[in-house]
Amino acid sequence: MSVSGNLMDFLDEPFPDVGTYEDFHTIDWLREKSRDTDRHRKITSKSKESVWEFIKGLLDAWSGWVVMLLIGLLAGTLAGVIDLAVDWMTDLKEGICLSAFWYSHEQCCWTSTETTFEDRDKCPLWQKWSELLVNQSEGASAYILNYLLYILWALLFAFLAVSLVRVFAPYACGSGIPEIKTILSGFIIRGYLGKWTLLIKTVTLVLVVSSGLSLGKEGPLVHVACCCGNFFSSLFSKYSKNEGKRREVLSAAAAAGVSVAFGAPIGGVLFSLEEVSYYFPLKTLWRSFFAALVAAFTLRSINPFGNSRLVLFYVEYHTPWYMAELFPFILLGVFGGLWGTLFIRCNIAWCRRRKTTKLGKYPVLEVIVVTAITAIIAYPNPYTRQSTSELISELFNDCGALESSQLCDYINDPNMTRPVDDIPDRPAGRGVYTAMWQLALALIFKIVITIFTFGMKIPSGLFIPSMAVGAMAGRMVGIGVEQLAYHHHDWIIFRNWCRPGADCVTPGLYAMVGAAACLGGVTRMTVSLVVIMFELTGGLEYIVPLMAAAVTSKWVADAFGKEGIYEAHIHLNGYPFLDVKDEFTHRTLATDVMRPRRGEPPLSVLTQDSMTVEDVETLIKETDYNGFPVVVSRDSERLIGFAQRRELILAISDCQTP
């Protein structure tokens, strides 16, 4: 007993069972698989003994589907609550609803009986802060007051978010996807998927998105869904006692997270398979699909956008695309790849500087400064003042007869008698040219500010800012092609498909393709990206342009480096992650690396037959390695296995306990 007691002193954190893992260690996939096989064999044999054991076997078999159902319900509910809260708090920076302060601008005007169609975004019940405080809606004083209150609200939301993260749940910061990828590969990060992290990330996600910072909620929703998966898997011993089985649940939860983030159930399953999961058996594919389906159904039942659809970006284009348009689509793919490369390099350089300098010691001050700069610059430009999701929705939209956006300020032909859905291309008016300048300035601002925003100590997603950059660039390219085709319809490239009076170019389609290209350049997604985009927008017939842009974006970005933004942050944080997509070109043999240098002691190994328990105890006391290779003998040293240090200590302790 005295020997085992002394030996236990060499454990940093002794656990009561051999099957557990320490924090920041990697699980043994083969052992977890073997344990699950043994458990399943015992259940099968016992189920033949009595009816009760048979029922218990059925409950065990169906427990996985129950967990998926619970994950989908909770993830969908949280996503709906987050969407509604973000909508209200974003509008709160500009004004308040007099009839019910918890209504957003749009909801407030829905309930008003004095709203006209031409002024559907204005109603007496909704008042800006200048109207409420000084009874003025126009003029310099009203503008300055609204400007100052916009900045103050943004600073308040950001300060509350960073304070909550710093005090209660440090793991709630960032996107969460790099850590989710690492956890799904078998790494243990205790507390990262805990209940406190779930609560704080949900609350602070609403605050940071409402503050107007250049970030999105879609990436962090994957982390939120995985926290839900971790919570429900802990309620069932089948998953709580087996880390390998738990990761199957987390893979399905990641699919549910993307499903509610974009309203894309199929894209969510493919995203989990392509981007985050390390081990994805066929059974997990089915359960991921079920979890994504339940989550999407729950979100649809809540209907947070009020449009009877899952997403805010749903559009319907009425013009097919033409082969000649593939050239600008590919150019947008090139832009997306270059933007992705620029962003990754600049963001990683800034995050590395944050880690190695005094800047990292003041996370609250950094968030406040970036929020202040963002709010000050964003307010004068209508395309940066509005929420990023609303901006993308406006950029994706096709210009119909009922649209009031500046982007649809074309010069109309008074003799036009066409149906609403078949409006021909028209010359751009003054509003379109004004919007082009504002979009160009907004594009430069988004590119710069997103580099400094992503990675701060607050929840920060990258999907929506990347899509916004691509959508702005794409919309400008689309308007350029549209006007070129209108004024030069007799050119050979336009002659076959763009006649006078025809509706032949859709600028919103270019925005959608640009958004896909930039998102692909940053994340290096391909198949799941295309599926997410056509589920997101309903543009099923535009798969080929999306595929062309996504593939081009990936090729261009891969030419400068194989790492996406999530892999880059994994390496920046020093997580032990072996990417299945990595290519290793090393030609060194293991014997060349493991052979000790002259004058050094021999390798610390366990031999198959010739070692005693005392020899093992001596080896543990004289070394501080986390594990030892198991070889046939000292002469051959042919590797047959590997034994972890703490497993040896616990096993010897159990054997010597009377």
Side-chain angles (χ1 to χ4, degrees):
M1 283 294 293
S2 62
V3 175
S4 64
N6 293 334
L7 196 62
M8 293 293 286
D9 293 338
F10 290 91
L11 273 180
D12 295 330
E13 227 180 305
F15 285 95
D17 188 22
V18 176
T20 57
Y21 298 94
E22 293 182 47
D23 200 9
F24 296 107
H25 281 66
T26 304
I27 70 171
D28 187 336
W29 286 96
L30 291 177
R31 189 183 68 184
E32 299 302 305
K33 180 65 175 177
S34 176
R35 291 174 62 191
D36 183 62
T37 303
D38 292 341
R39 183 193 61 83
H40 191 267
R41 188 183 297 114
K42 290 179 182 177
I43 291 175
T44 303
S45 61
K46 284 186 177 182
S47 63
K48 301 176 183 178
E49 298 175 359
S50 65
V51 177
W52 172 241
E53 292 295 338
F54 179 74
I55 294 174
K56 286 173 64 177
L58 288 179
L59 293 175
D60 179 82
W62 279 92
S63 61
W65 297 102
V66 173
V67 171
M68 296 302 114
L69 175 66
L70 295 174
I71 290 172
L73 290 173
L74 183 56
T77 302
L78 289 177
V81 171
I82 288 172
D83 287 333
L84 291 171
V86 165
D87 197 21
W88 171 63
M89 293 181 68
T90 300
D91 289 342
L92 190 63
K93 293 186 298 182
E94 298 190 31
I96 194 168
C97 186
L98 298 181
S99 60
F101 73 90
W102 57 88
Y103 279 174
S104 66
H105 187 174
E106 189 175 15
Q107 292 170 332
C108 187
C109 290
W110 281 347
T111 60
S112 175
T113 57
E114 303 177 46
T115 306
T116 61
F117 184 80
E118 289 77 11
D119 294 325
R120 55 189 178 276
D121 59 338
K122 298 178 182 178
C123 59
L125 293 178
W126 177 264
Q127 288 197 348
K128 293 184 178 181
W129 291 112
S130 61
E131 296 175 325
L132 187 65
L133 298 178
V134 296
N135 200 25
Q136 290 184 6
S137 59
E138 303 293 338
S141 59
Y143 183 86
I144 293 173
L145 180 60
N146 288 328
Y147 197 167
L148 290 174
L149 286 172
Y150 179 92
I151 296 171
L152 290 175
W153 277 113
L155 290 174
L156 176 62
F157 293 158
F159 176 74
L160 287 175
V162 69
S163 300
L164 288 171
V165 169
R166 186 171 174 80
V167 174
F168 295 105
Y171 280 154
C173 66
S175 166
I177 293 180
E179 287 77 12
I180 296 297
K181 285 172 67 75
T182 307
I183 290 171
L184 290 180
S185 71
F187 196 57
I188 302 289
I189 308 179
R190 299 199 183 279
Y192 196 82
L193 301 177
K195 293 184 282 293
W196 265 113
T197 304
L198 172 62
L199 176 62
I200 297 301
K201 188 130 192 175
T202 302
V203 174
T204 55
L205 191 55
V206 174
L207 291 168
V208 295
V209 175
S210 304
S211 69
L213 286 166
S214 183
L215 46 81
K217 60 182 183 297
E218 283 66 22
L221 276 175
V222 176
H223 186 188
V224 168
C226 285
C227 289
C228 298
N230 186 67
F231 171 72
F232 288 120
S233 63
S234 65
L235 303 179
F236 297 83
S237 60
K238 177 180 178 180
Y239 299 107
S240 62
K241 295 182 178 180
N242 191 301
E243 292 292 344
K245 296 292 291 181
R246 187 196 295 265
R247 273 147 185 78
E248 295 181 17
V249 173
L250 297 180
S251 293
V258 176
S259 174
V260 295
F262 291 107
I266 301 174
V269 176
L270 291 176
F271 174 83
S272 180
L273 173 62
E274 178 185 0
E275 190 63 24
V276 297
S277 293
Y278 199 81
Y279 174 64
F280 204 85
L282 186 61
K283 181 170 58 177
T284 304
L285 177 68
W286 300 335
R287 290 181 176 174
S288 299
F289 184 78
F290 179 68
L293 172 66
V294 173
F297 175 79
T298 305
L299 183 65
R300 171 64 183 82
S301 302
I302 297 174
N303 193 20
F305 303 116
N307 57 3
S308 299
R309 300 192 186 276
L310 284 174
V311 292
L312 187 63
F313 307 147
Y314 192 87
V315 291
E316 291 182 2
Y317 301 132
H318 307 285
T319 306
W321 64 277
Y322 299 90
M323 287 298 295
E325 291 182 286
L326 274 179
F327 180 69
F329 293 153
I330 291 173
L331 286 182
L332 287 173
V334 173
F335 172 78
L338 294 176
W339 145 250
T341 302
L342 171 70
F343 175 80
I344 292 171
R345 293 191 176 182
C346 293
N347 180 254
I348 293 299
W350 178 251
C351 290
R352 187 173 289 115
R353 183 175 180 83
R354 182 189 291 125
K355 280 179 172 290
T356 57
T357 62
K358 292 183 178 180
L359 181 66
K361 297 180 180 179
Y362 306 101
V364 177
L365 180 61
E366 181 188 12
V367 170
I368 294 299
V369 170
V370 173
T371 305
I373 294 173
T374 303
I376 291 170
I377 299 177
Y379 187 83
N381 190 333
Y383 293 110
T384 50
R385 183 193 313 171
Q386 65 187 141
S387 71
T388 313
S389 297
E390 292 176 353
L391 169 63
I392 296 173
S393 180
E394 184 175 344
L395 294 171
F396 281 7
N397 274 340
D398 194 12
C399 284
L402 306 179
E403 292 294 333
S404 59
S405 170
Q406 263 196 135
L407 292 166
C408 298
D409 183 21
Y410 290 90
I411 300 174
N412 293 311
D413 183 359
N415 299 321
M416 184 182 69
T417 58
R418 290 174 175 270
V420 170
D421 291 342
D422 191 22
I423 297 177
D425 289 345
R426 298 154 290 168
R430 181 178 299 177
V432 174
Y433 290 111
T434 302
M436 290 281 279
W437 279 108
Q438 292 173 337
L439 280 177
L441 294 174
L443 176 62
I444 296 171
F445 170 68
K446 279 285 183 185
I447 287 175
V448 175
I449 202 66
T450 306
I451 291 171
F452 298 97
T453 304
F454 186 71
M456 294 194 301
K457 296 301 180 183
I458 50 175
S460 54
L462 192 58
F463 286 177
I464 290 298
S466 300
M467 290 176 64
V469 169
M472 286 187 282
R475 185 77 186 206
M476 289 190 290
V477 171
I479 293 174
V481 173
E482 178 192 46
Q483 294 304 300
L484 191 66
Y486 176 81
H487 292 289
H488 303 281
H489 56 81
D490 55 340
W491 286 7
I492 189 170
I493 58 172
F494 300 122
R495 192 179 302 162
N496 295 329
W497 57 279
C498 204
R499 298 178 302 277
D503 180 18
C504 54
V505 178
T506 306
L509 172 61
Y510 287 76
M512 185 171 73
V513 172
C518 283
L519 184 54
V522 171
T523 62
R524 309 299 164 85
M525 294 159 53
T526 51
V527 179
S528 57
L529 171 64
V530 173
V531 175
I532 287 172
M533 288 303 298
F534 83 71
E535 282 190 279
L536 183 67
T537 59
L540 186 61
E541 62 180 301
Y542 302 105
I543 290 181
V544 173
L546 291 171
M547 291 174 66
V551 170
T552 305
S553 174
K554 179 173 173 57
W555 284 345
V556 172
D558 283 349
F560 296 95
K562 298 290 186 181
E563 284 186 342
I565 185 63
Y566 301 127
E567 291 79 12
H569 272 269
I570 286 173
H571 293 153
L572 177 68
N573 294 325
Y575 297 134
F577 180 75
L578 291 177
D579 195 345
V580 295
K581 294 176 284 188
D582 281 348
E583 298 177 2
F584 299 99
T585 57
H586 303 291
R587 297 291 183 265
T588 307
L589 298 177
T591 55
D592 300 331
V593 178
M594 295 298 293
R595 187 180 295 115
R597 298 186 181 91
R598 184 176 300 174
E600 290 186 352
L603 295 177
S604 299
V605 297
L606 301 174
T607 56
Q608 184 178 14
D609 300 321
S610 59
M611 290 192 75
T612 64
V613 174
E614 185 178 357
D615 294 335
V616 176
E617 291 179 352
T618 303
L619 183 63
I620 291 172
K621 292 177 181 179
E622 292 180 351
T623 62
D624 57 356
Y625 304 127
N626 285 326
F628 305 95
V630 181
V631 298
V632 175
S633 66
R634 280 289 182 181
D635 296 329
S636 69
E637 291 197 347
R638 184 167 63 86
L639 182 68
I640 59 173
F642 184 83
Q644 290 188 351
R645 175 191 186 88
R646 65 179 305 279
E647 303 293 347
L648 290 170
I649 295 174
L650 292 172
I652 294 173
S653 174
D654 289 344
C655 291
Q656 294 179 343
T657 301

